[in-house]
Amino acid sequence: MPFPAALAEDLKTASLDDGTLSVIAVDGEAVAPRILAKDVALSTTGERDRPSVAKLAEVIPACVQSVYLNGLVPTAPGTDLHRAMTVAAEIAEPGATVWTVSDMMSTSGQLALSKAVLAEPADQAAETAAADAPVDLHRNVWKVSGMANAATPLLSASREWVRDFTRGLCRGWNASGCKSIELDPVNPVRTATGLPKDPVPPFPAVDAVTTATTCSFTLPDELLFDGGSAELRGDVDEVLNQPLALLDANAETTLRIVGHAASSGAYTAAELLALSKARVQAVRDRIVAAGIEKARVSSRGVGDTEPLAEDIDPSTGLQIPEIAAAERRVELIIEGAPCSR
């Protein structure tokens, strides 16, 4: 990924302040982090207002990139992020800024983003992860670059989950600057040859099941709607492009939209029903706006009355996150054509 401009500015500032640099590299699953540099002086000693100090500060970012970072080409898939952060916490001096240049999508070790983890709200998942995989950053500022920018592009809902999860880790790991952690712009898809394929955690995705005459799409709510509302997300067209393409290519087909909700002690059955109805109406309106005739589209919201599985733990009365996440969905059933021809 490009050398972060903010990191370059931090390196300049640190060199003007007579700071030092440590660099830790992680390459592959379950591979011990390598310390490429430890407490390397970023400037010369002496008076800080000398012209030579300022000149050196200007070239420090380029030097760091060419000497320490240019050789960091991945050779193995996967990342054990927790091990790297543990080493960073051990060698960081008090008052240091800890930079992590990573997509933050750990696929190995104690911070591996499993399907069960991704089914939880990001704050809750981060709190659990910080307890199970502790790191103490000693109130040092933590900055992250490249977050959620993997070789496989993510939908905005998944990118925002990674951001919120990272902010939660920041708080749980006793760092500062957590509110300032933001997503970078989406990088172009990596095109370099010879690099290992990045494993991608099992983020919610559109699922399609076909028969000889039907195609059924299951769309997780978090890919369609903002929060607990019926407001469609900004990139909803990307989520709907497969069913829309099939409907557009097969004028004889019809579409049934069914909205489901997870059982919850926080909402009444009537509220869950109303939310599911509002959501399928929003999806129907978007599909019709895309050019599909109203007469071909029907919709109904069923709340939590047609579950795939029981999503409440009978022993505790609490939701089972992974099962509840699967219940929050909109189904698009296209009748008259299989998923592909």
Side-chain angles (χ1 to χ4, degrees):
M1 65 181 64
F3 193 81
L7 174 56
E9 291 302 315
D10 275 3
L11 287 170
K12 290 179 186 179
T13 300
S15 63
L16 289 171
D17 292 341
D18 198 18
T20 62
L21 170 74
S22 298
V23 180
I24 303 162
V26 178
D27 185 8
E29 293 186 0
V31 176
R34 294 176 293 142
I35 300 177
L36 303 184
K38 185 175 181 180
D39 296 333
V40 175
L42 289 173
S43 188
T44 56
T45 59
E47 298 297 326
R48 309 314 300 158
D49 58 354
R50 289 175 298 159
S52 59
V53 174
K55 289 182 179 179
L56 188 58
E58 288 297 320
V59 300
I60 278 295
C63 289
V64 169
Q65 186 173 19
S66 61
V67 175
Y68 296 108
L69 304 185
N70 271 359
L72 297 183
V73 177
T75 62
T79 304
D80 188 345
L81 181 63
H82 178 248
R83 297 182 75 184
M85 294 304 299
T86 300
V87 174
E90 289 174 354
I91 67 177
E93 296 290 335
T97 297
V98 178
W99 271 89
T100 300
V101 181
S102 168
D103 60 23
M104 294 300 295
M105 295 192 294
S106 187
T107 54
S108 179
Q110 290 178 269
L111 282 181
L113 297 182
S114 66
K115 187 174 182 180
V117 172
L118 292 166
E120 298 184 66
D123 287 348
Q124 181 179 327
E127 183 177 351
T128 302
D132 292 343
V135 172
D136 187 356
L137 290 173
H138 306 290
R139 300 303 300 163
N140 285 340
V141 174
W142 188 26
K143 297 185 179 181
V144 182
S145 178
M147 181 169 41
N149 270 336
T152 301
L154 298 182
L155 292 168
S156 62
S158 299
R159 283 172 50 81
E160 289 164 13
W161 191 97
V162 176
R163 177 201 62 198
D164 294 343
F165 178 75
T166 304
R167 288 175 176 174
L169 283 180
C170 181
R171 294 189 293 270
W173 284 349
N174 191 30
S176 60
C178 303
K179 291 183 179 179
S180 299
I181 292 176
E182 292 288 351
L183 290 164
D184 297 334
V186 177
N187 288 335
V189 175
R190 187 177 59 187
T191 56
T193 59
L195 296 180
K197 184 178 180 180
D198 273 346
V200 178
F203 287 100
V206 177
D207 185 34
V209 176
T210 192
T211 70
T213 58
T214 66
C215 183
S216 300
F217 295 92
T218 299
L219 286 62
D221 276 359
E222 55 262 55
L223 299 185
L224 293 170
F225 305 105
D226 282 327
S229 74
E231 187 76 22
L232 292 172
R233 300 185 67 90
D235 60 352
V236 69
D237 290 339
E238 186 175 347
V239 181
L240 295 173
N241 62 6
Q242 288 180 274
L244 280 171
L246 186 60
L247 287 164
D248 190 55
N250 298 274
E252 75 282 3
T253 57
T254 59
L255 170 66
R256 288 187 293 117
I257 309 173
V258 185
H260 300 265
S263 299
S264 171
Y267 299 95
T268 65
E271 289 172 330
L272 292 174
L273 182 60
L275 178 61
S276 65
K277 287 181 176 179
R279 286 180 162 179
V280 295
Q281 185 62 49
V283 173
R284 186 178 189 274
D285 290 345
R286 180 56 66 95
I287 288 173
V288 170
I292 306 303
E293 299 89 339
K294 288 183 179 180
R296 296 172 60 193
V297 185
S298 63
S299 62
R300 65 189 181 98
V302 298
D304 63 346
T305 63
E306 298 181 13
L308 296 170
E310 177 55 61
D311 57 359
I312 299 294
D313 187 334
S315 63
T316 64
L318 301 176
Q319 276 187 346
I320 305 171
E322 186 173 356
I323 298 178
E327 297 299 334
R328 302 185 190 99
R329 68 195 189 280
V330 172
E331 295 175 338
L332 304 184
I333 302 100
I334 297 176
E335 297 176 332
C339 291
S340 60
R341 284 183 172 175

